[in-house]
């Protein structure tokens, strides 16, 4: 894997069927996720939600933000990132890559085993997103951190 690594952070309300954060490929690179962290900064309560990381073939419409290079000597990321989606990405049927349920009071972290990173195609506008697929209780503000390489 490449030594170019980046970080993206996002905040959004975990409304059902809403994408929280996404990473979108460029035509020349294959970004790969190796670490994902999710937690809430809202007042503690017993709310729960189910999330999925899944592939998409169109990024949707979101607030774009620039991935941060973990090594300041790295060039700017070719992949893009977005949060607060107003138009959902076009998700790939049966493209679920990671699925977890989480209580608001807990923090979730997924770290890829070596050679098990989640890889997206080198196709413009393709990539992946974390989507809330169900909530139990109230929707709350969630924070996401994704680390990826290219």
């Amino acid at each position: 894997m490449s030594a170019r690594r980046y970080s993206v952070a996002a905040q959004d309300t975990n409304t059902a069927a809403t994408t929280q954060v996404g990473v979108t490929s460029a035509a020349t690179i294959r970004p790969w996720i190796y670490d994902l962290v999710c937690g809430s900064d809202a007042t503690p309560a017993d709310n729960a939600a189910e999330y999925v990381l899944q592939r998409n073939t169109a990024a949707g419409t979101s607030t774009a933000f620039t991935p941060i290079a973990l090594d300041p000597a790295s060039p700017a990321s070719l992949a893009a990132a977005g949060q607060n989606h107003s138009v959902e990405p076009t998700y790939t049927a049966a493209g679920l890559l990671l699925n977890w349920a989480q209580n608001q009071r807990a923090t979730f972290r997924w770290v890829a085993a070596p050679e098990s990173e989640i890889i997206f195609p080198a196709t413009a506008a393709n990539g992946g997103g974390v989507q809330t697929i169900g909530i139990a209780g109230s929707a709350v503000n969630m924070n996401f951190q994704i680390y990826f390489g290219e």
Side-chain angles (χ1 to χ4, degrees), residues 4 17 40 47 53 58 74 77 85-86 91 99 129:
R4 294 172 24 182
S40 177
N47 297 304
L53 172 63
S74 292
S77 173
H85 287 70
S86 58
Y91 286 109
N99 181 319

Side-chain angles (χ1 to χ4, degrees), residues 88-140:
E88 287 296 301
T90 302
Y91 286 109
T92 305
L96 300 181
L97 303 168
L98 185 63
N99 181 319
W100 74 96
Q102 178 178 350
N103 186 288
Q104 175 194 348
R105 294 177 186 256
T107 298
F108 171 82
R109 183 172 185 200
W110 172 83
V111 179
E115 302 298 321
S116 297
E117 297 82 4
I118 294 173
I119 303 171
F120 300 121
T123 305
N126 279 232
V130 174
Q131 185 183 49
T132 305
I133 60 172
I135 58 171
S138 299
V140 296

Side-chain angles (χ1 to χ4, degrees), residues 30-113:
R30 298 175 64 203
W32 39 276
I33 294 175
Y34 63 89
D35 198 342
L36 182 146
V37 182
C38 173
S40 177
D41 61 354
T43 302
D46 281 325
N47 297 304
E50 184 177 3
Y51 301 95
V52 292
L53 172 63
Q54 54 190 329
R55 294 187 195 283
N56 61 51
T57 56
T61 303
S62 65
T63 302
F65 59 96
T66 304
I68 305 299
L70 296 181
D71 177 351
S74 292
S77 173
L78 297 176
Q83 66 179 341
N84 301 322
H85 287 70
S86 58
V87 175
E88 287 296 301
T90 302
Y91 286 109
T92 305
L96 300 181
L97 303 168
L98 185 63
N99 181 319
W100 74 96
Q102 178 178 350
N103 186 288
Q104 175 194 348
R105 294 177 186 256
T107 298
F108 171 82
R109 183 172 185 200
W110 172 83
V111 179

